[in-house]
Amino acid sequence: MIGARAAGIVGLVLALSLAGCASPPARFYALAATAVPDTASPPLSVAVAVDSVAVPAAVDRPQFVVHRGANRVFVDEFNRWAAPLSSSIARTLAEDLAILLGTPRVVSGPLAESFDPAYRVSVDIQRFDSVRGQGSVLDAVWVVRSTAAGGTATSGRSTLREAVPAGEGGDYDALAAAHSRAIAALARDIAAAIRARDGR
């Protein structure tokens, strides 16, 4: 009797211990287009393809990579991106460009290769930093290429910082939103280059 009771108590303690050690559920985040239409400029009828977006190897993973100093990062297993960063950034950038240029003819992903655009966009992201309590840093080198015969390329570099609202420094939603705003600012620079090439 005593042995059975002791075994029951041990089993209960073990079950409670395992329940206490259970991992919290992972949370998933997505980037969103946040650009505002450029009402001061006419819409363009051109088609644009976002061909490729390269991201740094350090952040090319599902988990949020959070900076905790100049030489230290934290890979958060329980706060993750809902899709690979390179494709998410390309999709969001294409959506922002469609808003800023006033045309639905902007694509990214597999269709970009077979699309017949007037301009092709490539982006090489040098920094995609998440800093809890501060915000995001996006540093990107980009190229806009004309597909017309004899067309040339325009290149540029955008370094963008987006702060998180006061009181939301530790919120991953706020960090994802800050990255979305930075991508919209990158899209504004690229849209301006396309408009300049198009003469509008």
Side-chain angles (χ1 to χ4, degrees):
M1 290 288 293
I2 296 176
R5 184 176 301 171
I9 293 172
V10 170
L12 178 61
V13 170
L14 182 60
L16 291 174
S17 297
L18 290 174
C21 293
S23 299
R27 290 174 291 273
F28 295 88
Y29 301 87
L31 297 167
T34 60
V36 177
D38 183 2
T39 56
S41 302
L44 295 184
S45 60
V46 298
V48 178
V50 178
D51 278 340
S52 64
V53 173
V55 297
V59 298
D60 190 14
R61 62 182 71 220
Q63 303 91 337
F64 256 85
V65 178
V66 181
H67 282 255
R68 289 187 169 177
N71 302 299
R72 185 181 172 206
V73 297
F74 170 64
V75 179
D76 194 322
E77 292 292 339
F78 304 110
N79 289 282
R80 296 170 169 247
W81 296 106
L85 269 180
S86 57
S87 60
S88 292
I89 293 171
R91 174 191 55 77
T92 306
L93 180 61
E95 291 175 5
D96 283 324
L97 285 172
I99 293 169
L100 292 165
L101 296 174
T103 175
R105 301 172 64 203
V106 184
V107 299
S108 67
L111 282 179
E113 291 185 9
S114 57
F115 202 57
D116 186 24
Y119 299 100
R120 291 190 175 275
V121 177
S122 299
V123 180
D124 186 358
I125 295 178
Q126 309 291 300
R127 292 178 64 189
F128 188 87
D129 297 351
S130 303
V131 186
R132 294 186 73 181
Q134 297 182 35
S136 69
V137 178
L138 176 65
D139 183 17
V141 177
W142 47 267
V143 178
V144 175
R145 293 183 179 84
S146 170
T147 60
T152 57
T154 298
S155 61
R157 184 168 195 148
S158 302
T159 303
L160 307 152
R161 296 176 182 272
E162 288 290 334
V164 296
E168 297 183 16
D171 188 344
Y172 283 91
D173 282 303
L175 277 176
H179 280 300
S180 294
R181 293 194 301 274
I183 294 168
L186 171 63
R188 284 195 293 273
D189 291 346
I190 295 173
I194 292 173
R195 285 188 179 277
R197 291 186 63 95
D198 207 60
R200 286 183 280 178

